[in-house]
Amino acid sequence: MPNRKFVAGNWKMHGSAASIAEIVRIAAAVPSGVDVALCLPSTLIERAARAVPGFAIGGQDVHAEAKGAFTGDLAAHMLHDAGASLVIVGHSERRDGHAEADATVRAKAMAAMAAGLDVILCVGESLAVREAGAAVATVSAQLDASLPPVPVRAVAYEPIWAIGTGLIPSLADIADMHAALRARLVAAYGEAGHGVRLLYGGSVKPTNAAEIFAVADVDGALVGGASLTAADFLPIVEAAQGA
Ligand code: PEP
């Protein structure tokens, strides 16, 4: 049986108090057949969680340690305490911009789950790797080295060259990658690997969502720019509902 679709928004470094009204608009219109979450800047998590009780609010990163001298970082229990129910780990903007290795991503995922947060673990290849024909092998190895011992809620395949560029891989390339990642998840977790949501991320828009959701083993999407407004995000959620 196919997994229920899961569409998560990643607001990155966007949003302020005035954005709570947009979050309320999104939460109020979510159809019953899709799981939806918004991963917000830390400054908005508590306000949003109060404004839309029962709707999944997440963070975008977490520290692997529970406390200590880590200026600017947040521990998993702090995100949970603020009202988050999930967190993204291993986004390429963290891996590249903050030099996060696979082992760090794995440790973050373990810390998040220990604090009761669901995890969306991101993997993806650069354009150079894609052009060298090494995307599936590279991303599979990245997943193997990043996965914690207990199944994560979701893995997001996000080709780095597709994020924020308007480019997406061919549907056949998405299918190939998701089949390979599903095999890695089953190798790691046995039957439970089939239940990990495999999300595609990178320039998902209202105009391409339905065709992406129709690809085998695509269980939803991680959406950046198009998650910032109800006008863009809700048609993507509705495409997931209809898939
Ligand atoms: C992302 O950063 O997770 C993402 C998928 O961004 P965008 O949808 O804007 O490409």
Side-chain angles (χ1 to χ4, degrees):
M1 198 171 119
N3 289 322
R4 188 178 151 94
K5 294 278 191 280
F6 176 29
V7 180
N10 172 15
W11 274 30
K12 310 192 188 194
M13 200 168 69
H14 298 286
S16 60
S19 316
I20 296 295
E22 201 65 23
I23 294 164
V24 170
R25 265 194 289 280
I26 289 170
V30 165
S32 58
V34 187
D35 293 335
V36 178
L38 286 176
C39 296
L40 300 175
S42 306
T43 47
L44 286 183
I45 289 174
E46 182 158 12
R47 258 180 292 191
R50 286 186 198 282
V52 289
F55 179 81
I57 297 294
Q60 301 169 10
D61 181 46
V62 65
H63 201 281
E65 298 294 333
K67 63 179 177 183
F70 303 107
T71 302
D73 283 319
L74 292 173
H77 68 87
M78 295 171 174
L79 289 171
H80 190 268
D81 188 49
S85 59
L86 75 157
V87 67
I88 296 169
V89 300
H91 193 283
S92 59
E93 289 156 15
R94 302 290 315 177
R95 289 178 182 266
D96 291 349
H98 299 262
E100 287 188 6
D102 292 333
T104 305
V105 173
R106 184 173 188 270
K108 289 182 173 201
M110 288 168 70
M113 287 193 286
L117 297 174
D118 284 335
V119 165
I120 301 175
L121 192 159
C122 301
V123 290
E125 83 283 0
S126 65
L127 187 57
V129 167
R130 167 66 59 184
E131 287 177 346
V136 169
T138 301
V139 178
S140 297
Q142 196 183 33
L143 182 67
D144 286 349
S146 305
L147 278 181
V150 176
V152 291
R153 169 104 182 276
V155 166
Y157 165 54
E158 298 207 306
I160 298 166
W161 52 273
I163 294 177
T165 59
L167 303 172
I168 63 166
S170 70
L171 300 179
D173 283 345
I174 295 175
D176 283 352
M177 184 65 79
H178 279 232
L181 298 182
R182 178 67 70 201
R184 299 317 307 153
L185 289 168
V186 171
Y189 299 137
E191 270 306 297
H194 289 289
V196 175
R197 279 3 128 74
L198 259 180
L199 314 182
Y200 168 78
S203 295
V204 177
K205 307 286 177 211
T207 46
N208 60 20
E211 62 181 15
I212 293 171
F213 292 147
V215 173
D217 259 322
V218 173
D219 299 323
L222 182 56
V223 184
S227 70
L228 292 172
T229 63
D232 283 336
F233 193 50
L234 289 173
I236 296 172
V237 171
E238 279 151 21
Q241 163 93 359

